[in-house]
Amino acid sequence: MSDAFPISRRHFLTLAGGTAGAVAVSQLIAQLPPAYADELDPAPFTLGVASGEPDDTSVVIWTRLVADPLNTVDGGMPAEPVKVDFEIATDPEFRRIVQKGKRTTDPASAHSVHILVTDLAPDRWYWYRFMANGVYSRTGRTRTFPRPGASVEHMRFAFASCQSWVGGPYPAYRDMAAQELDFVVHLGDYIYETTNGSLTEFRRLHALYKTSPDLRAAHARFPFIMTWDDHEVQNNYAGDVAGSAGDGRPFLERRANGYQAYYEHLPLRPMHRPDGADMLMYRRFDFGRLAQFSVLDTRQYRSDQALGDGRKEPTGEVFDPARTMTGPKQEQWLLRGLRESTAQWNVIAQQTIMAQFDYDLGPTKIVNLDQWDGYPLARNRILNHIVKHQIGNPIVLGGDWHTHWVNDLKTDFDDPRAMVVATEFVGTSISSGASWDPDVRAGLAANPHVKFYNGSYRGYVICDVNNKRWRADLRIVLDARNAASPAYTIASFAVRDGKPGAQRVDGGDGIVGQVTDAATGRALPNVEVVVTREDGSRLVASTTDPTGEVLAFAPPGNYTVAVNGVGYEPVSRTVTVVDGAPTNLDLRLNRAVPRAGTGRTVPGPQASATTTDIVLSNDLVALAISNGTDDSQLTPVALGKPLDMAMVGRLDQLDWINLPYASTAQPRGGNAWQQRTVKSTSVEVLSANGPVASVRAIGASTTVANLEVVTTYSVRANEPWVLAESAFTNRGTAPCTFWAGDALDHDGAGQRSGIAGHGTIEASDPADYPPTAPWIGMTGTDRQTYGLIYDEGGFGAYAAYNWVMSQRQVTLAPGETFTLRRRITAVDSGTDADPFAVLGRL
């Protein structure tokens, strides 16, 4: 029969992202009948094939007929039903066909095909394919599960989540498709929505994502068990409450469209077909007696996020016992299933992080209210149920946060001595980025139940399970934007039968080691580690964890590893990475002496200076001063102003310090801090090292005529500050009056301003706060308090919650100079309830 849906293989590979896709699925090409080996995904099967929802006697096989996957009107398909044949066999050559049949596609369902193949033998592999109008699809491979209660010795599967299309071409799926697995569990964010909530748009996104040859390869090689998170509909939606902004259509209409497209494009059972904005997704799977999987839906039935969502201190409504992530019906279904299970391993497969994570190292607790931390009593009901009923070997799988985690789950996360009741493995994303990685790293020290964390890489997790232990291999790819990126196991953990809590069972691949103080042997956290190739290009940058551990992954070759920690002299080493073995790199750092110069930076999530800027540093603090780097908020006056600052053992969190300003009018309003009223023309190092290291910036006011402004920065050993002296000199022939001072701005997590006598400022609208002592400050979530401590009082403070500035009026006669002296400090606030109390003691 003639091909009614002509599309050349070359044309489709162009749509799919290049000829690399043919290489990525070579193992599947070999299983195709020879007549079709050169047409891997011919039209109308351009989105490939998939299988899913396996039990001991049945499995769903799926495809969607679409001749042109990027045609959003009709996919190049006729607006009429199309007949499809299917075959399922016990061999890839289809010599032993066990079932075959016909279906008629419906254009109202985008010509999608869901066939529930029943009466299959348990615990065995099958091969399947489709045919429409004489064209065969590629061959897919699937399997059934062992019978419930059957004795099973081994199971190997992968779980994945979060595959933003803009994040890269999915090399993690290329690596997954090359593994030997029984099945794959997908924990959500299969697509990422746009503001357009139409059914056409959701169909376009699903089709676009499946133009990835590596995603199609994984689907064709293994059955998938699916659940969703938020981005299949809208970011951070909760039940029938919208999340982020959309196109104005009613939210339940958007949800219905998202659910419909999700069903149409994935191998789900007919029982999951949506009914408008409702779709049953929680269900249970048994892999013999070895494991039972309770797959949850934590979006469709959850209570709205408390306190307006975001990362905040959990108070008030957060602790309402009626609040739920799963809805009462699903929660009772979960608890009953766990209680009645006789499986060796009891798995809760869900979307988000169940373990508590406190982002604030101080006395205040800051948590992510979209995760289980926003529903702590619902979490406690599950964990207490596990303890009460002695549930055997509970394992929780999670995704959502685009980073790898291994967590101990406890009924009391605030007690380090509390009993571990379950283990949680959270997989990093397939391709989605993790801009919050520095915030997590900064908070690790306050969360000892987090046994492992890494946010530098994309990937997935392989779980290898037998009756005695559960092993999780955390897989990563070096570059999610490179389709050929190599893959590694960043770490492996095992949970032993009857012993909750995971233990590290490998040394890791790539570059591993510990950074310590050369004099004391103390582990050094928050030290920046940068790996560069032989050509000088950067491969990866990371920071050490609370134990000082280095995790940096690289393919075999020669590299330079540069280590940079506040309070320590930088170190650089050359290393050779070999295949299949970790490269150990234990480094001992010496305390820094006062220095000023280029060539290094202040590490941190908000850091904006480069190696061409000047860093003043000693054994306690480091401050970067612009030597040419512009901040868009201060263009064109950034030269000579501080950009980054941190204390020993910490990372920079400040947006910047606007020091100094000289304005004819008193600064007022929401942008008062953004003064562009002092512009330096030159910056020079006065003393590069010695007892005192110093830098001088020379400039003038942009609004006060003939006002010269010279600021000198200096640092000495064993002082937790940089002394800044700004000399304002009237070079004119008439007196001048102006407002002078400085501003601190902090855009990091948990930012707050503080003023002597007024404590922490919470208001978002700026107001005057007369200080009772000569300092102003800012703080974040890591107990690092920033402050400007003045030699003289007599100034006012003007502030909102995330910025603060000093203001004093100065009048100068011709030739007269006024010098503003202050110490710029970054210090640990300790255990004080008031994070700014430390400034009053300096």
Side-chain angles (χ1 to χ4, degrees):
M1 301 177 67
S2 63
D3 184 355
F5 312 104
I7 182 172
S8 70
R9 182 171 185 267
R10 177 176 297 177
H11 175 54
F12 180 70
L13 287 172
T14 299
L15 292 175
T19 56
V23 177
V25 292
S26 58
Q27 73 277 14
L28 292 174
I29 297 175
Q31 296 178 352
L32 289 171
Y36 303 101
D38 62 344
E39 289 290 341
L40 185 58
D41 282 308
F45 302 107
T46 55
L47 301 186
V49 301
S51 69
E53 302 291 304
D55 64 17
D56 59 313
T57 63
S58 65
V59 69
V60 173
I61 59 174
W62 170 94
T63 192
R64 179 191 163 198
L65 306 187
V66 51
D68 184 351
L70 303 184
N71 179 342
T72 60
V73 177
D74 56 18
M77 295 297 297
E80 58 189 37
V82 177
K83 291 183 179 179
V84 181
D85 294 296
F86 72 92
E87 296 175 332
I88 186 162
T90 58
D91 65 301
E93 294 79 22
F94 290 85
R95 297 189 183 99
R96 296 181 296 277
I97 296 174
V98 295
Q99 288 193 41
K100 58 183 178 180
K102 297 180 183 292
R103 289 290 188 275
T104 301
T105 66
D106 183 354
S109 296
H111 292 289
S112 60
V113 180
H114 297 77
I115 298 173
L116 178 59
V117 184
T118 59
D119 298 323
L120 299 175
D123 198 13
R124 71 163 301 157
W125 287 97
Y126 290 92
W127 284 259
Y128 63 95
R129 64 186 179 186
F130 300 92
M131 190 268 285
N133 203 27
V135 179
Y136 277 100
S137 71
R138 79 158 80 192
T139 296
R141 189 183 72 151
T142 191
R143 65 159 299 161
T144 53
F145 279 7
R147 294 189 186 280
S151 177
V152 179
E153 295 183 355
H154 183 248
M155 170 183 72
R156 195 168 191 260
F157 73 96
F159 69 90
S161 63
C162 304
Q163 53 196 52
S164 172
W165 181 255
V166 299
Y170 300 163
Y173 274 127
R174 188 206 72 248
D175 180 66
M176 184 189 294
Q179 302 291 333
E180 289 299 327
L181 305 171
D182 290 304
F183 57 97
V184 175
V185 178
H186 198 287
L187 297 175
D189 291 347
Y190 191 90
I191 63 165
Y192 278 67
E193 83 287 7
T194 65
T195 55
N196 185 346
S198 68
L199 178 56
T200 297
E201 175 66 359
F202 281 115
R203 284 172 172 169
R204 182 190 73 83
L205 290 169
H206 277 279
L208 175 66
Y209 279 47
K210 279 204 171 65
T211 59
S212 163
D214 297 319
L215 175 58
R216 297 197 312 274
H219 271 300
R221 188 159 166 78
F222 315 113
F224 272 55
I225 295 172
M226 310 292 304
T227 190
W228 53 35
D229 198 10
D230 52 346
H231 285 290
E232 285 85 357
V233 177
Q234 191 176 55
N235 183 43
N236 280 21
Y237 85 90
D240 59 1
V241 179
S244 55
D247 58 5
R249 74 183 65 237
F251 176 70
L252 288 182
E253 179 184 332
R254 165 185 275 268
R255 199 174 89 172
N257 292 336
Y259 287 5
Q260 176 68 22
Y262 186 83
Y263 176 79
E264 289 172 351
H265 289 83
L266 293 168
L268 297 165
R269 290 176 178 255
M271 65 178 287
H272 299 301
R273 183 187 299 274
D275 178 11
D278 299 316
M279 183 171 166
L280 178 64
M281 282 297 290
Y282 64 89
R283 60 237 192 260
R284 193 167 285 120
F285 297 86
D286 291 292
F287 198 90
R289 191 179 175 277
L290 183 61
Q292 182 177 93
F293 290 78
S294 297
V295 180
L296 304 188
D297 172 0
T298 62
R299 282 293 164 188
Q300 188 173 186
Y301 314 107
R302 70 155 67 186
S303 307
D304 192 15
Q305 292 90 346
L307 307 178
D309 205 356
R311 276 187 255 163
K312 298 174 182 174
E313 182 179 1
T315 59
E317 63 175 312
V318 171
F319 299 100
D320 182 348
R323 290 177 46 75
T324 172
M325 280 277 273
T326 61
K329 183 178 179 180
Q330 183 182 185
E331 182 177 302
Q332 289 306 308
W333 167 87
L334 170 64
L335 299 181
R336 182 175 62 253
L338 291 172
R339 185 173 63 249
E340 296 175 353
S341 172
T342 60
Q344 186 84 12
W345 301 91
N346 288 281
V347 186
I348 302 174
Q350 50 86 56
Q351 291 74 16
T352 65
I353 296 175
M354 184 172 282
Q356 175 180 288
F357 191 81
D358 181 5
Y359 286 84
D360 195 329
L361 298 186
T364 303
K365 183 182 293 184
I366 301 293
V367 300
N368 184 347
L369 297 172
D370 184 59
Q371 297 172 347
W372 284 91
D373 275 336
Y375 306 80
L377 298 190
R379 174 176 60 198
N380 287 350
R381 288 193 291 269
I382 295 172
L383 296 178
N384 288 333
H385 182 85
I386 288 172
V387 174
K388 178 180 179 180
H389 296 280
Q390 299 180 338
I391 306 302
N393 295 326
I395 300 288
V396 176
L397 307 181
D400 178 60
W401 215 225
H402 307 179
T403 45
H404 274 313
W405 304 65
V406 180
N407 300 322
D408 286 342
L409 296 182
K410 303 180 176 187
T411 54
D412 185 358
F413 289 101
D414 296 324
D415 182 1
R417 300 167 297 177
M419 178 180 64
V420 178
V421 302
T423 298
E424 179 176 41
F425 296 107
V426 178
T428 189
S429 58
I430 289 289
S431 60
S432 305
S435 60
W436 47 83
D437 172 50
D439 297 340
V440 177
R441 288 183 179 277
L444 286 171
N447 299 272
H449 52 276
V450 177
K451 298 304 180 185
F452 179 87
Y453 169 81
N454 186 274
S456 300
Y457 305 95
R458 316 282 67 82
Y460 66 101
V461 180
I462 294 176
C463 297
D464 191 282
V465 185
N466 60 34
N467 286 291
K468 294 183 179 180
R469 63 102 180 98
W470 179 295
R471 176 179 171 128
D473 293 334
L474 312 183
R475 297 290 286 172
I476 58 103
V477 293
L478 289 178
D479 183 0
R481 296 186 178 276
N482 177 3
S485 178
Y488 296 86
T489 295
I490 193 171
S492 294
F493 282 80
V495 180
R496 299 295 172 182
D497 175 39
K499 297 180 179 179
Q503 303 297 321
R504 184 84 180 258
V505 293
D506 79 311
D509 289 337
I511 301 168
V512 297
Q514 189 181 41
V515 179
T516 57
D517 185 298
T520 65
R522 182 173 57 89
L524 299 181
N526 294 322
V527 172
E528 183 180 62
V529 180
V530 178
V531 181
T532 56
R533 303 177 180 89
E534 288 185 286
D535 64 4
S537 62
R538 176 179 289 197
L539 176 69
V540 67
S542 185
T543 54
T544 56
D545 68 11
T547 68
E549 185 177 14
V550 177
L551 282 174
F553 289 79
N558 298 316
Y559 300 92
T560 298
V561 180
V563 180
N564 178 24
V566 175
Y568 289 86
E569 298 291 347
V571 171
S572 181
R573 295 283 189 274
T574 57
V575 299
T576 299
V577 176
V578 298
D579 192 21
T583 300
N584 292 316
L585 186 68
D586 290 334
L587 294 169
R588 304 177 68 190
L589 304 189
N590 294 311
R591 296 305 293 264
V593 297
R595 295 189 187 279
T598 60
R600 70 180 299 185
T601 59
V602 179
Q606 302 291 339
S608 57
T610 69
T611 54
T612 62
D613 296 306
I614 297 171
V615 171
L616 270 167
S617 59
N618 64 6
D619 54 326
L620 295 176
V621 294
L623 176 75
I625 299 168
S626 173
N627 192 35
T629 295
D630 252 344
D631 186 301
S632 61
Q633 299 172 108
L634 286 178
T635 303
V637 301
L639 183 69
K641 293 183 183 295
L643 295 172
D644 314 315
M645 189 178 195
M647 63 168 286
V648 63
R650 300 289 199 278
L651 301 170
D652 168 74
Q653 287 192 7
L654 277 179
D655 192 16
W656 48 253
I657 306 171
N658 187 359
L659 174 159
Y661 71 86
S663 173
T664 54
Q666 182 178 13
R668 298 280 94 180
N671 292 325
W673 51 273
Q674 197 172 326
Q675 290 292 309
R676 305 184 191 198
T677 53
V678 169
K679 182 178 181 179
S680 295
T681 55
S682 66
V683 180
E684 59 182 338
V685 174
L686 298 179
S687 174
N689 50 56
V692 180
S694 58
V695 175
R696 181 169 60 193
I698 300 174
S701 171
T702 62
T703 64
V704 183
N706 302 311
L707 183 65
E708 179 187 76
V709 183
V710 178
T711 299
T712 303
Y713 303 90
S714 58
V715 65
R716 299 174 182 270
N718 302 315
E719 292 182 347
W721 56 70
V722 173
L723 178 63
E725 299 178 287
S726 295
F728 301 84
T729 303
N730 182 0
R731 298 297 184 188
T733 59
C736 63
T737 299
F738 58 93
W739 289 86
D742 314 295
L744 290 169
D745 180 51
H746 189 341
D747 287 343
Q751 71 273 27
R752 287 293 185 271
S753 60
I755 298 170
H758 303 276
T760 300
I761 306 302
E762 300 287 348
S764 58
D765 294 327
D768 290 304
Y769 300 92
T772 59
W775 59 259
I776 59 175
M778 290 293 307
T779 189
T781 60
D782 67 348
R783 295 205 319 266
Q784 185 173 213
T785 296
Y786 299 91
L788 295 176
I789 305 171
Y790 294 89
D791 281 8
E792 298 178 1
F795 62 90
Y798 190 61
Y801 75 95
N802 64 333
W803 61 265
V804 59
M805 66 189 304
S806 60
Q807 299 183 352
R808 72 176 75 213
Q809 194 171 41
V810 178
T811 298
L812 295 178
E816 187 179 6
T817 297
F818 166 73
T819 301
L820 183 62
R821 296 182 179 87
R822 64 286 213 203
R823 291 169 287 163
I824 313 171
T825 188
V827 288
D828 193 322
S829 63
T831 58
D832 289 331
D834 177 5
F836 299 106
V838 63
L839 297 179
R841 298 193 291 267
L842 294 178

